[in-house]
Amino acid sequence: MTAPQPVIRAQGLTKTFGQVRALDGLDLEVTPGEVHGFLGPNGAGKSTTIRIVLGLIRASGGHVELFGRDPWRQAATLHERLAYVAGDVALWSGLTGGQCLDVLGATQGGLDEARRTALIERFELDPTKRIRDYSKGNRQKVALIAALAADAELLVLDEPTSGLDPLMEQAFQEVVRERRKDGCTVLLSSHILGEVEALADRVTIIRRGRTVTSGTLAELRRHTRTHVHAVTVDAPAGLADAPGVADYVSERLDGHADSRFTIDAAHLDDSVGRLHAARIHTLTVTPPSLDALFLRSYDGDAGPLDAGPLDASELGEPAEAAR
Amino acid sequence: MTATGLRAMLGVQWRTHRRGTLVWVLALIALMVGTAGSIAGLYNTPEKIHTYAQAVTAGDALVVINGRVEGIDSLGGIIADEFGFFAAFLLPLLGISLVALMTRSEEEAGRLEAVLAGRVARYVPVLAGLTIASAAIVVTTVAFALGLTAFGVPATRSILYAASLGTLAFVFAGFAALLAQVTLHSRGVYTWGLLILAGAYVLRGVGDVTKTWVTWLSPLGWAEKAAPFGDMRWWTLLIPLTVACLFAALAVLVAGRRDLGSALVGGGAGPARATSWLRSPIGLATAIHRASILAWLAGAVILAGTMGSLAQQFIDAVLGNPAMAAAFGVSGAQPVDEMVALTQLYIAIIATGFAVQAVGSLRGEETAGRLEMQLSGRLSRLRWLAAHGLVIVTGVVIIVLVSSVVLAAGMAWSMGTPVNLGLVLWAGAAYLPAELLVGGLALALFGLRPRAFPAAWGALASVTFIAFLGPGLKLPAWLLDLAPTTHIGSPPLGTVEAGQLVVLGAIAATLGVAGAVGFRRRGVPQS
């Protein structure tokens, strides 16, 4: 766990399938002990990246290390230390859920028996049913339990909760947190932003086979702007020219000053001070949500996040912004 | 009820299955018309036709295999006789596979759910599948009738013969549609369809040998009793047509009433834990291949048992009639050995079929995404492949040895004298290099060009064609030599050259190694 090198390090990965360029210079670094959110729209190259990291397919170019080694050459040895849930869970339709758990567990060098039992109960799985009689969500549970019950240093989860209901999603998040407390590193590819926001220490956002941005959620938020809507008794003094403030609009409504503006995180304190001086009636401060980061990163040909600050209209509240 | 969405459904089914359907239909037409043409060229005088007729009617062995053809003393009769075995399986299989692909396979994959959510009535997919399968059967039938006429068979007789085969395919298409409603998986449709087909084949054989009404119990018997080259009983076509319509109507009725994804035969609970055997790579590989090993073994055992228990009739026929022996392509000097040699060739083809299908199921593991899961553990690719290779080779050996024992036992029972079991076993074992060569080819495709895997089935079909019909059709030597079975030397009748076996084995091993190396180097999954 205290290994100095990153668990996963990919630099400038490229992968072409015939004419299609699936990865185009992708970077990814996962450090020990963290839950790393891996985000991107459909077809961005998340599963391809994961398969290269696992040594299932070979990169066309770039450099990749798993536990500091080459995953393509030492796949089987390195796999002893990780557990994987594929994006499309496929199991043997003739076997029961319990049998599949054991078979998958065996490929990972055995499951922790106590955890296996506890997880079956927690995820409400009937292990005597045959896979062909399971729903998609239950098949997903089998693969998840097998991975979460394994004694692994690294969990690689490719959209693991796509078939789960909210209750099971909750259980999944709890278990992932527990595993992280045990010192496990997690690479979590997901579409569910709430899940990533709830679990991830750091995220990497990719689009069209390239890394758009990477960092802690706080770091990412720092590049974006907070939206402020204040109603004060007096007109706030000097806000329009205050450092960090943009898109400032103020008007008098029903005897109050109604002000809207965006502010970068570093200057929030100063501007709220000025609002306070003007005697606050109501105050709404909306931090940038991950959705906004996400949409911004995915949107069209927008450049990398740190190329420039986001403007307020991109940060949600479209109804107000349109007014 | 109005068939809501039938047109749309026909469009969807045709669009998604036209390639497979066309390949099936064209291959079948080419095979049937091509074979008919070769026979027409071979038996081009009344004398030759007469000699042939004399030969095959001399005993019961060929009657069991090809059926009792009325009016065999004609070109059409010979074609019907030569085609007896193939037509009995290929045409029903055409109906079964097209219907299974367009009904239960679609439902199993969940695609039907999306379709039925639209404006499509629940029974319409079955109706559409049956319609397209029927169209494919009609096209095949018409083309075959035209082909026969072109080679000089009287037109009305050609039409009746082709129609008798077409209605046979209809029966099994309808039956498969019904099976698709009562079994949960398309595998069940194939398994039960083929089992019933095997039963129909046996009934027809028993009826033909005993010359009793038993023949009339079998759909294959109905086709035969149309007697296209004898009395031309057109009315018998009504039986298969009626039965096919009944099956189809029942299938449509059940489809309209049952829940989507349900079946009349369901699954129960199973063990909650896997045994340590199942957890091992070989144990899991065994679990994956067990059902198909048993199915192919059952086919080989039925064949070997039938042939073995008719040994005495065969010997009588061959000993008493050199022309009969010639019809088998044998000399008639050593009837026991000839019997064994002929049966072992059939067994070899069955074992080869298993090998190709089993390697194909590895590709299935990959495309389904299960291979990716297994290789994400500490199991290396080569160990995974080795475990499956071992199980597949064991399966081939089991099929060959068990059916050889059954053949020997059947012969001993029929002739009332002990049979040299070692000789029979050796004859079966001698084919192993040829079987493994085709399996190795399949493995090489899997490792190097996984998307081209269907070519392995093409190779199996070619080998089967050359092995069974090649010598009879007097194909050129270079063509015969393409089939590895040709090089075995037809044991125990001919001499097996150890050198040939070694060469075949070496080619098989090379192909296998090439496949393994390719598999280790390529990406998984490769879609």
Side-chain angles (χ1 to χ4, degrees), chain A residues 51 55-57 72 76 79-80 82 84 90-92 96 98-99 102-104 106-107 109 113 116 127-128 132-133, chain B residues 185 269-274 278-279 284 288 365 368 370 372 374-378 380-381 520-525:
Chain A
R51 283 173 183 156
L56 290 168
I57 57 180
W72 178 257
H79 287 171
E80 284 190 23
L82 64 85
Y84 169 52
L91 299 164
W92 299 272
T96 63
Q99 284 178 315
D102 289 336
V103 167
L104 292 178
T107 70
E113 280 301 314
R116 179 188 188 277
T128 64
R132 58 170 155 253
D133 300 328
Chain B
H185 301 278
R273 300 303 302 251
L278 184 59
R279 292 178 208 195
L284 183 62
I288 288 170
E365 287 284 291
R370 291 186 290 263
E372 188 182 348
Q374 289 174 82
L375 294 184
S376 74
R378 55 182 186 172
S380 76
R381 294 183 183 204
R520 211 167 74 110
R521 286 189 183 162
R522 75 177 171 87
V524 172

Side-chain angles (χ1 to χ4, degrees), chain B residues 82-365:
Chain B
E82 284 283 303
F83 227 79
F85 178 76
F86 280 102
F89 284 95
L90 285 179
L91 284 151
L93 206 58
L94 171 71
I96 293 171
S97 71
L98 289 184
V99 169
L101 274 177
M102 284 187 267
T103 56
R104 190 45 92 163
S105 297
E106 291 287 304
E107 184 169 349
E108 215 178 326
R111 284 189 287 269
L112 212 52
E113 197 171 338
V115 169
L116 288 183
R119 299 183 62 172
V120 173
R122 262 196 312 278
Y123 63 90
V124 162
V126 180
L127 200 58
L130 278 168
T131 309
I132 292 175
S134 304
I137 293 168
V138 169
V139 169
T140 312
T141 307
V142 170
F144 190 39
L146 288 175
L148 285 175
T149 313
F151 290 120
V153 179
T156 43
R157 294 185 184 274
S158 300
I159 294 170
L160 180 56
Y161 179 50
S164 71
L165 295 182
T167 50
L168 170 67
F170 277 143
V171 171
F172 280 90
F175 184 57
L178 186 59
L179 283 173
Q181 310 309 314
V182 298
T183 60
L184 203 48
H185 301 278
S186 57
R187 207 178 68 186
V189 179
Y190 284 106
T191 310
W192 284 100
L194 290 176
L195 271 178
I196 296 294
L197 178 56
Y201 187 72
V202 169
L203 279 180
R204 203 269 302 131
V206 170
D208 280 351
V209 169
T210 56
K211 297 187 184 173
T212 54
W213 49 268
V214 177
T215 305
W216 288 97
L217 295 179
S218 164
L220 299 169
W222 303 332
E224 183 179 296
K225 290 295 182 187
F229 307 105
D231 292 343
M232 307 234 296
R233 295 180 211 103
W234 288 89
W235 62 268
T236 56
L237 294 183
L238 288 176
I239 306 174
L241 280 178
T242 312
V243 171
C245 288
L246 276 177
F247 277 140
L250 208 57
V252 169
L253 202 69
V254 175
R257 284 161 185 250
R258 73 183 175 88
D259 295 341
L260 180 71
S262 73
L264 297 181
V265 189
R273 300 303 302 251
T275 57
S276 55
W277 163 247
L278 184 59
R279 292 178 208 195
S280 69
I282 289 192
L284 183 62
T286 309
I288 288 170
H289 296 296
R290 185 177 47 213
S292 69
I293 292 178
L294 289 177
W296 290 92
L297 178 64
V301 162
I302 290 173
L303 181 95
T306 313
M307 297 290 276
S309 54
L310 286 165
Q312 191 58 50
Q313 278 103 317
F314 180 91
I315 290 161
D316 292 346
V318 171
L319 278 183
N321 191 333
M324 166 80 182
F328 272 117
V330 296
S331 71
Q334 304 151 279
V336 178
D337 287 356
E338 282 158 7
M339 165 98 213
V340 175
L342 187 68
T343 314
Q344 285 295 6
L345 184 60
Y346 279 81
I347 294 173
I349 293 296
I350 292 176
T352 310
F354 161 73
V356 170
Q357 191 243 318
V359 177
S361 73
L362 301 188
R363 176 68 182 148
E365 287 284 291

